[in-house]
Amino acid sequence: MTHLRGITWDHPRGHSPVERAGRDFRAKHPGITIEWDRRSLKDFGDYPIIPLAQRYDLIMMDYPFTGTALASKALVALEEYVPADYLEDQRGNSVGRSCQSYNLGGHQLALAVDAACQVSVLLRDVMDRLGVAVPSTWDQVFEAAKALPPDHSIAIPWEPTGAYCSFVSLCANIGGDGIITPERGLDPDVGEEAARLMQRLTKIVHPTSFYLNPIKLMDFMEVSDEIVYVPLCFGYSNYARTAKAGKVLDFANIPGKDGKPSGSILGGVGLAVSEFSRNIPAAVEFAMMVAGGEYQRTAFFEAGGQPGHRSAWVDPDVNKASNNYFADTLDTLDQSYLRPRYVGYDKFQVQAGDMMHNFLKDSFIGGGGKSAREIVKDFNACMLSEIKGG
């Protein structure tokens, strides 16, 4: 009997589809069992990759860890096991740069089984009733906030991780792909413009924004009409299906400086195989099943997953079952921003989250905090220190 251990994250989108896949895989391979452990959403983005690779055969991972994984040789280079035509299909059916995000140094270190970025969340029926259009520019976001009655508002999930992600999304929306380099860090002018925009946004967002992650914010929107629009929030297609409580949510492309939904920070999940595994061929075969187009648009989606294969995103049945979530946000995914994957960048993200969170809280309160220029200077100093240290 072959036993594989996997680590995923503790949300139905993270654990339900891979647990279903483990059962489906065992039905085809009775001699192989797969056991899945779960970690928190914060640990998914923060916990180091090397200790996970030492404990687990299969790892659901965030792509900024690829730099560290490549340098440490902790993950299997999948092109050594996966047929070339399969990888070509993955590249050709990538949602945005999801597939590319796990390819570094010429090696495919994970398969993009889940695709996501920051999108907009809304209560469309409430906004329609109030006569407030879904914004396509940041100026329109402020106009929408003014048009809302006192008992309705706009919010953004600005706990530390969300604060960092929103800042990077705005920077990329303003300055494009080349905003960060390992020599300079973040373009200071772009960073300052984005930070000033965030300071303005602190004056119109719901106060709970500073304490809610995307999941908690959408849980709140399911049961209350108080928050009707969120311009930047990692999308969860689960909330566009049958609601756990209350209502089904609507999703849309993000606003942009010029009306284009570009620059949203790419997220998603890759399924990687540990180089320490004693059963690499079996683990790779499982990963290939999960990432394949047929499985992605059927069993994976049906089990609550958010597919990474493009065929699922454009599938009429998948969209019908998800309130058109995928079709309504695909433009944002296709124009999303690929975060740096330098060694050390994964550690920097944790510090940057706290930094941006405190900056936004100080701006909301209205005194004593850092200026936009100062926060960008600190942001860069921290980033370059971790990259050089890594």
Side-chain angles (χ1 to χ4, degrees), residues 24-144:
D24 292 344
F25 191 74
R26 186 175 184 183
K28 296 180 180 179
H29 305 277
I32 301 176
T33 61
I34 303 176
E35 174 189 0
W36 287 96
D37 290 338
R38 307 173 188 177
R39 65 195 192 279
S40 69
L41 179 61
K42 181 170 176 54
D43 278 350
F44 170 76
D46 296 351
Y47 196 82
I49 194 71
I50 296 173
L52 293 177
Q54 292 170 336
R55 293 183 58 192
Y56 295 98
D57 303 277
L58 294 155
I59 305 166
M60 293 281 273
M61 63 172 283
D62 195 7
Y63 68 82
F65 289 101
T66 54
T68 301
L70 181 66
S72 63
K73 299 182 179 179
L75 300 179
V76 168
L78 293 172
E79 73 277 1
E80 297 177 4
Y81 294 86
V82 177
D85 60 345
Y86 182 96
L87 290 178
E88 183 59 33
D89 174 81
Q90 291 287 301
R91 288 188 290 269
N93 284 285
S94 180
V95 179
R97 287 180 279 188
S98 296
C99 182
Q100 177 189 339
S101 68
Y102 304 102
N103 191 292
L104 193 63
H107 299 295
Q108 191 71 37
L109 298 177
L111 298 177
V113 297
D114 177 294
C117 69
Q118 287 189 312
V119 296
S120 295
V121 192
L122 59 143
L123 302 181
R124 193 180 299 277
D125 59 336
V126 178
M127 292 182 72
D128 287 347
R129 187 176 73 243
L130 296 172
V132 179
V134 179
S136 61
T137 68
W138 288 104
D139 286 341
Q140 290 173 3
V141 171
F142 290 98
E143 292 170 6

Side-chain angles (χ1 to χ4, degrees), residues 13-14 17 60 90 93-96 98-99 102 111-117 235-238 241 266-270 290-315 318-319 322 325-326 329-330 333:
R13 176 179 141 197
M60 293 281 273
Q90 291 287 301
N93 284 285
S94 180
V95 179
S98 296
C99 182
Y102 304 102
L111 298 177
V113 297
D114 177 294
C117 69
Y236 283 71
S237 62
N238 311 75
R241 309 189 203 186
L266 181 66
V269 187
V290 176
E294 175 68 23
Y295 198 83
Q296 286 266 295
R297 61 182 176 267
T298 54
F300 189 87
F301 169 74
E302 291 162 6
Q306 187 161 298
H309 199 278
R310 194 175 193 87
S311 66
W313 282 69
V314 299
D315 186 277
V318 169
N319 275 288
S322 61
Y325 170 90
F326 299 94
T329 60
L330 184 55
L333 265 293

Side-chain angles (χ1 to χ4, degrees), residues 49 76 128 139 172 189 217 249 256 294 317 339 356 380 385:
I49 194 71
V76 168
D128 287 347
D139 286 341
D189 293 334
L217 177 52
L249 304 184
E294 175 68 23
D317 292 333
R339 281 170 284 170
M356 295 309 302
N380 271 338
S385 174

Side-chain angles (χ1 to χ4, degrees), residues 326-343:
F326 299 94
D328 285 346
T329 60
L330 184 55
D331 283 349
T332 300
L333 265 293
D334 281 342
Q335 299 179 58
S336 58
Y337 173 69
L338 182 65
R339 281 170 284 170
R341 296 167 293 169
Y342 315 124
V343 176

